[in-house]
Amino acid sequence: MIKGIIDRFEGDLVVIEIENSTINFPKEKLPKEVNVGDQIIIDGDHIALDTEGTKKLREEIDAMADDLFEE
């Protein structure tokens, strides 16, 4: 099992960040509801949206942005 983050879509491919590298994956293999910034779980040929992981990741990013732009 591998966790990754959707970095961007390029035509029929999706670029997924995994640890310190990226992989390209056919867009058709992903769940239709995934968006840029979503966390996914890759388990063999099965790919699933990690809704809890995505929520936690967005909360961490929001907290960092709040700290950055604090007056």
Side-chain angles (χ1 to χ4, degrees), residues 9 26-35 38 47 49:
F9 296 99
K27 191 175 177 179
E28 66 191 32
K29 300 284 185 181
L30 277 80
K32 301 292 183 213
E33 68 270 14
V34 298
N35 294 300
D38 285 347
I47 299 174
L49 176 61

Side-chain angles (χ1 to χ4, degrees), residues 1-41:
M1 180 175 74
I2 301 170
K3 288 191 177 191
I5 300 171
I6 304 295
D7 181 62
R8 65 185 178 277
F9 296 99
E10 293 185 353
D12 293 337
L13 297 175
V14 61
V15 180
I16 302 170
E17 289 183 22
I18 297 176
E19 295 181 9
N20 293 327
S21 65
T22 60
I23 60 169
N24 295 329
F25 212 83
K27 191 175 177 179
E28 66 191 32
K29 300 284 185 181
L30 277 80
K32 301 292 183 213
E33 68 270 14
V34 298
N35 294 300
V36 171
D38 285 347
Q39 189 167 35
I40 59 169
I41 299 171

